[in-house]
Amino acid sequence: MPRLILATSNPGKLKEFQAYLTGNAWELALKPTELEIEETGTTFLENACLKAAQVAKTLGEWAIADDSGLSVDALGGAPGLYSARYGRSDAERIARLLQALEGEENRTAQFVCAIAVARPDGSIALQAEGICPGTITYEATGMGGFGYDPIFYVPEYGMTYAEMPPDLKHRISHRGKAFAALLPQLAEIDF
Ligand code: IMP
């Protein structure tokens, strides 16, 4: 079974990727923690590509990486690439975002996820992007998920990410859509 190195040292992310890649021919493995990659790209896709490429090239193995975040229209796309660094905890990030939108009626936003797969020489073999449109609520609602889930409302389903059964979020989220685009391509790879 060919190995696919996941360009993160976060075991939570490994579990999530494993769930999306179930039944695939690849064995997923975490990158070594000492191998750190700076996210210097200007788009989610650029960051996913540079992480996958650097890990693949350094280890001489196939690698996969993702980058994701929340873009709020009234904030000019913020927190965007800085979603993870917008506060020190999920509670702080949510509070900051709700405060930034105080008095703002335009609540439209989108979650974006980009995924890239790199060959052992560091060249990009595949890339995919998934977008989930929604709105930012006025207060946190729902107990599930993580991150900004309690304030991200998806009109199509009438609930926030945090109110969704996990299998529904798995399927319709930005990450679910990115994997839906990636998986058929991954199955075609000649390794
Ligand atoms: P990264 O892709 O691991 O860099 O994640 C970027 C940040 O975006 C995370 O730390 C979360 O704050 C946020 N984020 C990404 N995906 C989700 C999601 O599905 N729900 C809630 N927050 C998310």
Side-chain angles (χ1 to χ4, degrees), residues 10 13 16 39 44 51 66-70 80-85 90 93 111-112 145-150 161 169 173-175:
N10 178 347
K13 209 157 228 184
E16 192 176 15
E39 298 185 15
F44 294 110
K51 284 189 272 187
D66 79 332
D67 197 39
S68 61
L70 176 62
L81 292 178
Y82 302 99
S83 295
R85 290 163 272 172
D90 283 345
R93 286 184 276 272
F111 257 118
V112 181
F146 70 100
Y148 299 92
D149 281 359
Y161 263 3
K169 186 191 165 193
S173 73
H174 49 306
R175 206 165 286 105

